[in-house]
Amino acid sequence: MCLQGLPSPFLRCPSQRLLDRVVRRYAEVVDAGSIFMDHFTDRDKLRLLYTLAVNAHPIILQIFPGAEGWPLPKYLGSCGRFLISTSTKPLQEFYDAPPEQAADVAYQLLGVLESLRSNDLNYFFYFTHVDADMFGIFDNGHLFIRDASALGVIDKQEGSQAAFGTGENEDIFSCLVSDCQVQLSSCDTVSEKQNLVLVCQQLLPRLLQGKFPSPVQEKIDSALSLCSKNASTDMEVLGATNLLKDILRPLRTCDPRFAYRYPDCKYNDKF
């Protein structure tokens, strides 16, 4: 309801720093990555804008690559509405997984959400909605975001143009989100608990319900109950999910099924 232009969650709260990153890292041009962008033609600009309008997922994979530690699969290429990236199994295939595997997936999922909330680049990524198809697991057991089309980004370092822009001297990206006519409401209304509440409501119960012995299961259910309530404060939700991670961590096993952290888990408590 806040958008007058194209309804792209990724462009809901743009900053100049974020838009610069999009342009510099857009891979579908001759001189991708160049600080000069001499070959960034009008056709390239239109193709970029069209991709952002239709589905920002391939753009997000390019500007926040997994090789730099972001929880996203490798981008291999795209053409129109088609995207090629590395393959993963959808999260729903793990709903009936053994307890130790369910604990591992849930623990990773909470870790991914933490990296979206707190990272070195000071970007806050938030989901407008979640479902099991948005997350996938590689053959080595590592969990990633397989569909980033519902991700929005808030720049905690620079703030958002949409939150306090004047409406003057609009560039083409600003026009894309606001249609150069109205100002968007403040992005400060997006709370840090949003991702956690959605996941606690929609995904974690299906992964963890009825999987563990009674004392442990009761603690898990209690933490899920608190972090799934919209009425809970940010601190309450963060505290509940941190408690849930502490419960899940020792429930994971160290064996070859989890190749993404094996055999490191034998020698380092970090894994």
Side-chain angles (χ1 to χ4, degrees), residues 168-221:
E168 299 177 357
N169 301 320
E170 299 279 7
D171 59 33
I172 191 167
F173 292 103
S174 300
C175 294
L176 188 62
V177 287
S178 65
D179 204 26
C180 295
Q181 293 177 3
V182 298
Q183 294 300 304
L184 301 178
S185 59
S186 173
C187 295
D188 293 337
T189 58
V190 180
S191 65
E192 292 198 0
K193 71 178 183 181
Q194 180 164 307
N195 291 342
L196 295 168
V197 171
L198 289 172
V199 166
C200 286
Q201 290 175 344
Q202 305 295 329
L203 304 181
L204 290 181
R206 300 287 299 275
L207 269 173
L208 301 174
Q209 193 168 24
K211 291 282 180 72
F212 305 95
S214 180
V216 174
Q217 188 67 56
E218 289 174 1
K219 293 179 181 178
I220 290 174
D221 293 343

Side-chain angles (χ1 to χ4, degrees), residues 56-251:
H57 175 67
I59 304 300
I60 296 175
L61 297 191
Q62 293 174 59
I63 68 174
F64 298 108
E68 294 180 3
W70 300 101
L72 295 163
K74 185 176 181 179
Y75 172 80
L76 300 177
S78 62
C79 181
R81 292 178 180 266
F82 291 95
L83 166 71
I84 303 174
S85 67
T86 47
S87 176
T88 60
K89 295 179 181 179
L91 181 65
Q92 60 262 37
E93 290 190 11
F94 293 82
Y95 283 164
D96 296 324
E100 67 277 7
Q101 196 167 21
D104 186 83
V105 170
Y107 184 87
Q108 286 191 76
L109 182 54
L110 292 173
V112 164
L113 297 186
E114 174 62 23
S115 71
L116 298 182
R117 185 182 68 86
S118 177
N119 50 76
D120 291 341
L121 291 186
N122 238 355
Y123 288 115
F124 169 46
F125 300 78
Y126 66 93
F127 287 99
T128 56
H129 66 279
V130 299
D131 60 58
D133 284 334
M134 291 180 177
F135 300 92
I137 292 86
F138 288 131
D139 290 338
N140 66 359
H142 205 174
L143 181 141
F144 280 77
I145 299 171
R146 70 197 301 253
D147 180 4
S149 59
L151 267 184
V153 184
I154 294 176
D155 189 338
K156 295 194 291 185
Q157 180 171 306
E158 285 194 0
S160 166
Q161 292 178 350
F164 47 78
T166 63
E168 299 177 357
N169 301 320
E170 299 279 7
D171 59 33
I172 191 167
F173 292 103
S174 300
C175 294
L176 188 62
V177 287
S178 65
D179 204 26
C180 295
Q181 293 177 3
V182 298
Q183 294 300 304
L184 301 178
S185 59
S186 173
C187 295
D188 293 337
T189 58
V190 180
S191 65
E192 292 198 0
K193 71 178 183 181
Q194 180 164 307
N195 291 342
L196 295 168
V197 171
L198 289 172
V199 166
C200 286
Q201 290 175 344
Q202 305 295 329
L203 304 181
L204 290 181
R206 300 287 299 275
L207 269 173
L208 301 174
Q209 193 168 24
K211 291 282 180 72
F212 305 95
S214 180
V216 174
Q217 188 67 56
E218 289 174 1
K219 293 179 181 178
I220 290 174
D221 293 343
S222 176
L224 285 176
S225 175
L226 182 57
C227 73
S228 64
K229 292 179 180 178
N230 290 316
S232 297
T233 65
D234 285 8
M235 292 302 296
E236 288 174 334
V237 171
L238 290 172
T241 52
N242 285 335
L243 174 61
L244 187 56
K245 286 184 68 178
D246 290 340
I247 298 170
L248 294 172
R249 184 181 178 88
L251 299 177

